[in-house]
Amino acid sequence: MIEHFSHGYTTLPVAFLVSMTGSALGLLLARHARRHKGAGRRALWLTVAAFAIGGTGIWVMHFVAMLGFAVRDARILYEPWTTALSALIAVAVVACGLYAIGLGRYTPLKLAVAGTLTGIGVAAMHYTGMAAVSADVELDYRLGYVIASVAIAIGAATTALWLSWRLQRASSMWLAAAVMALAVNLMHYTGMLGLVAGGEADEAPHGVDAVDLVFPMATLTAIVLLFLVFTVVMVPTDEELKADEHLSSLQRRTTDRPVAGRKPPRY
């Protein structure tokens, strides 16, 4: 018998809050990226936003939810390198989607293509993370649930990319982050509902226990969140950016103004 809340329902609200926090920070960083005209500056901020959305909002949510996963009378272990690969996939696909929307001209067709590819990538992250699961029982998936989870991932990714481009107010971004977190959780548990446990596995499970990953993952997540929060807090407001631009304009005018009594050089 498969259990998704083996430690009670605590993992559900924790996963939701982590996902919402990462999504909100990512949306705020993506908004700041739109303020820059240079492609290099935009790409830098969009990369940080990808770590927030893909790393914290999606992958850490997956990890927290998997803490509640168990199969009765079965041993479950996790292969660390495959687990790390799933995290890299999450950040990479979100970064590609944000680049597609945030760099160059925005079009609905570009949004649809970027959302579809990013959603497929998010689903690939989920099933790569599941490939890291090593158990002494056979685990299989029902195709209908897999297709449904991919469709939800595409919808969630498209919504995230659209919100990252359109939203301006911070208050609305937190509401949007809650919607994104709901979609990401729905995608995860839809995929997990399609999981079926069969007979004994041919090979013995290998890897580490999920409990052994909690401390390093919690430490890494805390460090990343602190960095992201500090970055968002230090981001200048629109008024500060306008003041800096005005000051720079005044300095250029003062530098270019000819000195009184001095004739301009003849050429």
Side-chain angles (χ1 to χ4, degrees), residues 89-138:
I89 291 175
V91 175
V93 297
V94 172
C96 291
L98 289 175
Y99 292 159
I101 295 299
L103 300 177
R105 185 179 179 184
Y106 169 86
T107 63
L109 177 60
K110 183 187 288 187
L111 172 65
V113 173
T116 300
L117 294 177
T118 304
I120 293 173
V122 170
M125 175 279 303
H126 172 80
Y127 289 104
T128 300
M130 291 304 299
V133 176
S134 180
D136 53 8
V137 295
E138 293 287 346

Side-chain angles (χ1 to χ4, degrees), residues 9-248:
Y9 289 96
T10 307
T11 53
L12 183 60
V14 172
F16 179 84
L17 289 175
V18 168
S19 182
M20 186 176 72
T21 302
S23 299
L25 293 173
L27 290 175
L28 289 169
L29 291 166
R31 180 187 65 171
H32 181 66
R34 296 196 304 270
R35 299 170 177 172
H36 296 280
K37 297 180 181 180
R41 284 287 185 91
R42 277 197 174 191
L44 176 61
W45 285 103
L46 290 175
T47 301
V48 182
F51 272 94
I53 297 175
T56 306
I58 296 175
W59 186 81
V60 174
M61 175 270 143
H62 169 84
F63 179 81
V64 172
M66 288 303 295
L67 291 177
F69 171 69
V71 180
R72 188 170 297 177
D73 299 327
R75 189 184 183 195
I76 303 292
L77 298 178
Y78 294 84
E79 206 286 311
W81 290 111
T82 308
T83 302
L85 176 61
S86 67
L88 293 177
I89 291 175
V91 175
V93 297
V94 172
C96 291
L98 289 175
Y99 292 159
I101 295 299
L103 300 177
R105 185 179 179 184
Y106 169 86
T107 63
L109 177 60
K110 183 187 288 187
L111 172 65
V113 173
T116 300
L117 294 177
T118 304
I120 293 173
V122 170
M125 175 279 303
H126 172 80
Y127 289 104
T128 300
M130 291 304 299
V133 176
S134 180
D136 53 8
V137 295
E138 293 287 346
L139 297 176
D140 201 359
Y141 299 92
R142 286 176 282 185
L143 182 60
Y145 285 91
V146 174
I147 295 174
S149 65
V150 173
I152 294 172
I154 292 173
T158 304
T159 302
L161 294 175
W162 182 80
L163 293 173
S164 70
W165 180 257
R166 290 296 183 184
L167 290 184
Q168 294 292 338
R169 298 176 58 184
S171 57
S172 60
M173 287 187 181
W174 281 100
L175 178 60
V179 175
M180 288 172 57
L182 181 63
V184 171
N185 278 262
L186 183 61
M187 180 273 294
H188 174 84
Y189 286 107
T190 299
M192 295 303 292
L193 286 175
L195 191 64
V196 179
E200 293 185 3
D202 296 331
E203 299 179 357
H206 58 279
V208 297
D209 195 275
V211 177
D212 297 328
L213 295 175
V214 170
F215 179 75
M217 279 307 308
T219 303
L220 179 61
T221 302
I223 293 173
V224 172
L225 280 176
L226 286 174
F227 169 76
L228 292 172
V229 170
F230 176 78
T231 303
V232 169
V233 171
M234 295 303 294
V235 164
T237 62
D238 291 332
E239 291 76 12
E240 291 172 340
L241 287 174
K242 290 179 181 178
D244 289 341
E245 291 178 359
H246 181 65
L247 180 60
S248 298

